[in-house]
Amino acid sequence: MQRVAITHVAQSSGAESRESLMDFTYRVNREVLDKAGLQREDVGCIIAGSADIFHSGLSCANAFDWDGIGAFLKEGSRAEESAFSFIYGCMRILSGRYDTVLVTALVKGSENPDNDPITSFYGDPFYLRPTGINESVVAAMQMRQYMERYSVTEEQCAQVAVKNLGNALFNPCADRKRRVSIEDVMSSERIYDPLKALECAPKSDGVVAVLLASEKRAKKLTKKPVWLAGYGCSMDHFHPGDRDLLKGRLPEAAKRAYGMAGIAYPRKELDVAEVCEPYAFQELLWCEQLGFCGEGKGGKWIDSGASRMDGVLPVNPSGGVLATNPYPARGLYRIAEAALQIKGEAGEHQVGKTVRKALAHSTHGFGGQCQSVVILSA
Amino acid sequence: MAKEEHRIVKGQVTVPYELALGRTWSAFYDFLKDERIMGKKCGKCSRVLVPPRSFCPRCYVDMDEWVEVSQEGVLETWVYVNMPFFAQEIRIPFISAQIRLDGSDSGFIHQVAGIDLNDFDRVRETVKLGGRVRAVWNPEKRGNILDIAYFEPVD
Ligand SMILES: [Zn+2]
């Protein structure tokens, strides 16, 4: 079968940008093309990851996005979940029709309303929205069940924020970086008890561009191609009440990705993972469901230090979504960060060991309704 | 050097929508006006879903049988919301909760109230996972989900 490689990656600085969204998009895409030594004309196809009205104030936002990504006269498409944008791009290469595809995700979170009002509109207007639901509310419901069912403590959940915000100190592209203690997290405002303010992701500006190439082309473009080894995705019901919030679809998505990548023992075979954790405790729940530790063992897993930068399986060396949350772009950020770790180009947050296999995860919808897992390899 | 002015364009837009409830949810809200909570039962998996659906999202077949469920149930999870957010009309603090009504097989999202919500420590003592709650009806019926005013803890 045709293989797909990530050849180059570029991302914006984590600081709030004063550039217009179009200029902001252009700079990062120009950078990734320069790294690859390509001109816009050399790219076969363009896939965007961006969001409409709520996250950009634009309807049919892709119409606005195309110029900044360099899509003039090209074929392309867009998804609002940028992990989907990535896989659509990979499929374009797999079709044999294109040798190169540019996948770009973009948002200026600083310019639009807070995440909570935006995500309250995920709820339908007939039933969920009038009852006061948003993404944080459902996450807090999920967290309370998680702690209760498995005796995971609030302090163990808080440790995720301590780890990830600390990791972000070494990532120049991170938005929120702070050395915080468990006490700082525990004493931050109880905005959605049991969720505390420091356990909830911020809202960030971010553009990330990933250049994909066919095997033949990739070997000409870079000495260090990063290969797509596995992908899996699975969706749960819309209504949170129709599901068990602690038994979502991530195990199924992971099974599909591991099956394709030939991974039998994820904890041993993976060298690093970038996990989408807009709420601190979710990293623990997702790590369980990805098979890094047993069911209900997320608390012991974080206590063990295994997921630290110097642990056996570092999770979110970039600082994760708790540090940088460019909402629709965060899935592609995870993929880009996993690729940088394999390339050995993550800079100060490069993990200490050789990275041959990396996992990137993305999720959207209430309480992890939709889950996707990408496995990359050297 | 003085900070350069960050020039922006401000915008706020109001646009009207008219979204159809459909037959099943219209009927559900008509039942609420009569202070009855009705679900629909799937002929294939036998689950009773509240609010009702016209089809079972799992079996993907029509759901035809209406079933009345209890106005009491078990608290599956809850959150103490102490964060105001734009367009949210419920005054904080409030409790969002998922309740498994007796006779149903899905979680029903609503609020828990009827207790002093300002005293958070008391709330944590009164509101428990697995605890029982009961629907309290809004005397004024509007044919929407807030015809159930809230659920109160039953001791
Ligand atoms: Zn069914």
Side-chain angles (χ1 to χ4, degrees):
Chain A
M1 194 177 80
Q2 168 76 274
R3 289 211 292 169
V4 184
I6 295 174
T7 63
H8 299 85
V9 168
Q11 51 184 308
S12 63
S13 135
E16 183 180 323
S17 168
R18 293 184 165 203
E19 293 189 275
S20 75
L21 179 60
M22 196 183 278
D23 292 349
F24 189 44
T25 307
Y26 164 72
R27 296 289 158 210
V28 175
N29 285 281
R30 186 65 257 172
E31 184 186 331
V32 83
L33 292 180
D34 289 345
K35 281 181 174 172
L38 296 182
Q39 291 306 316
R40 195 190 70 80
E41 294 73 20
D42 303 324
V43 175
C45 167
I46 306 273
I47 311 284
S50 72
D52 270 358
I53 307 278
F54 289 117
H55 288 284
S56 70
L58 291 159
S59 175
C60 280
N62 40 343
F64 179 90
D65 299 338
W66 296 137
D67 278 15
I69 315 175
F72 175 63
L73 287 181
K74 293 193 188 299
E75 195 259 329
S77 186
R78 180 184 71 143
E80 297 214 354
E81 153 72 89
S82 54
F84 293 173
S85 311
F86 172 76
I87 211 67
Y88 297 165
C90 292
M91 287 171 178
R92 291 294 206 282
I93 302 268
L94 290 168
S95 75
R97 180 78 179 76
Y98 300 105
D99 278 337
T100 51
V101 174
L102 181 57
V103 184
T104 294
L106 53 125
V107 73
K108 288 193 74 185
S110 64
E111 296 186 347
N112 40 63
D114 290 339
N115 287 331
D116 290 338
I118 290 179
T119 63
S120 76
F121 283 90
Y122 293 177
D124 64 270
F126 316 115
Y127 163 50
L128 286 180
R129 211 186 299 158
T131 63
I133 290 293
N134 63 37
E135 189 182 51
S136 300
V137 170
V138 178
M141 288 184 175
Q142 189 178 36
M143 178 177 175
R144 194 180 304 280
Q145 283 186 326
Y146 180 57
M147 294 191 301
E148 180 92 3
R149 197 177 299 175
Y150 300 117
S151 301
V152 173
T153 67
E154 280 196 59
E155 287 78 4
Q156 286 171 324
C157 298
Q159 277 186 58
V160 175
V162 174
K163 171 177 74 72
N164 292 0
L165 295 181
N167 289 353
L169 289 166
F170 303 95
N171 178 3
C173 294
D175 176 10
R176 185 168 70 172
K177 24 185 142 187
R178 279 174 73 178
R179 190 163 306 287
V180 296
S181 64
I182 291 180
E183 293 70 35
D184 293 333
V185 179
M186 291 296 291
S187 62
S188 64
E189 199 187 346
R190 288 182 175 269
I191 52 178
Y192 293 101
D193 181 84
L195 273 175
K196 276 80 65 190
L198 279 174
E199 294 178 314
C200 302
K203 198 170 167 61
S204 313
D205 290 358
V207 178
V208 57
V210 172
L211 186 68
L212 305 178
S214 63
E215 181 163 14
K216 206 171 146 193
R217 193 69 192 281
K219 286 177 174 165
K220 289 184 188 144
L221 285 171
T222 177
K223 287 197 182 75
K224 289 181 184 170
V226 173
W227 305 102
L228 171 69
Y231 173 75
C233 171
S234 186
M235 324 284 185
D236 212 332
H237 290 308
F238 171 68
H239 281 291
D242 286 0
R243 336 174 210 149
D244 180 339
L245 291 174
L246 302 185
K247 295 245 184 332
R249 303 320 314 156
L250 184 52
E252 183 61 34
K255 195 173 125 192
R256 291 171 185 168
Y258 293 152
M260 186 174 159
I263 289 176
Y265 304 100
R267 182 171 42 181
K268 287 189 183 143
E269 294 176 56
L270 292 169
D271 300 303
V272 70
E274 281 283 335
V275 167
C276 184
E277 40 35 304
Y279 303 94
F281 78 96
Q282 284 181 339
E283 182 176 297
L284 305 181
L285 183 59
W286 303 158
C287 283
E288 292 178 18
Q289 298 184 344
L290 289 166
F292 299 170
C293 61
E295 181 184 336
K297 304 291 186 213
K300 292 201 173 91
W301 160 257
I302 187 84
D303 282 343
S304 75
S307 58
R308 288 196 326 219
M309 194 91 96
D310 57 356
V312 292
L313 176 46
V315 177
N316 287 328
S318 69
V321 177
L322 282 178
T324 312
N325 185 22
Y327 205 107
R330 62 199 192 185
L332 193 61
Y333 262 85
R334 307 273 71 67
I335 294 164
E337 283 291 343
L340 288 172
Q341 290 287 347
I342 291 175
K343 280 174 162 286
E345 293 173 6
E348 276 189 85
H349 65 286
Q350 180 73 40
V351 300
K353 59 178 178 176
T354 307
V355 178
R356 299 197 56 78
K357 282 201 174 98
L359 177 145
H361 157 255
S362 187
T363 183
H364 66 277
F366 289 141
Q369 184 198 348
C370 308
Q371 301 276 6
S372 29
V373 175
V374 171
I375 309 292
L376 301 176
S377 73
Chain B
M1 201 175 79
K3 214 173 170 185
E4 193 198 338
E5 194 192 348
H6 184 189
R7 293 178 64 181
I8 57 171
V9 174
K10 287 200 176 196
Q12 183 164 338
V13 183
T14 307
V15 283
Y17 287 83
E18 290 186 5
L19 306 169
L21 273 171
R23 257 184 300 179
T24 305
W25 282 16
S26 296
F28 173 66
Y29 289 127
D30 285 341
F31 282 122
L32 287 192
K33 282 186 187 170
D34 298 333
E35 304 198 348
R36 297 173 74 193
I37 305 175
M38 301 292 287
K40 271 208 169 177
K41 184 171 180 175
C42 175
K44 204 168 171 188
C45 67
S46 299
R47 292 185 311 151
V48 175
L49 301 186
V50 186
R53 272 21 91 74
S54 71
F55 64 94
C56 174
R58 201 165 288 176
C59 304
Y60 212 56
V61 294
D62 291 6
M63 270 178 136
D64 298 320
E65 189 187 347
W66 284 96
V67 178
E68 182 161 8
V69 300
S70 172
Q71 304 194 2
E72 269 190 41
V74 172
L75 195 57
E76 290 191 316
T77 185
W78 60 281
V79 42
Y80 185 85
V81 179
N82 199 20
M83 174 85 179
F85 55 94
F86 182 79
Q88 173 50 265
E89 286 168 14
I90 306 167
R91 296 247 308 267
I92 58 161
F94 67 91
I95 292 175
S96 271
Q98 184 173 300
I99 297 146
R100 180 68 59 112
L101 296 167
D102 298 345
S104 77
D105 298 288
S106 59
F108 189 67
I109 308 275
H110 215 287
Q111 291 168 57
V112 168
I115 52 173
D116 181 6
L117 290 174
N118 292 304
D119 184 348
F120 179 60
D121 292 328
R122 275 288 307 282
V123 168
R124 273 201 155 182
E125 279 167 29
T126 322
V127 184
K128 296 268 189 216
L129 292 202
R132 291 194 64 78
V133 292
R134 175 173 52 213
V136 174
W137 294 91
N138 204 329
E140 192 190 338
K141 303 292 192 293
R142 296 205 167 127
N144 63 35
I145 193 66
L146 299 177
D147 283 351
I148 301 173
Y150 53 82
F151 285 77
E152 65 178 3
V154 183
D155 24 49

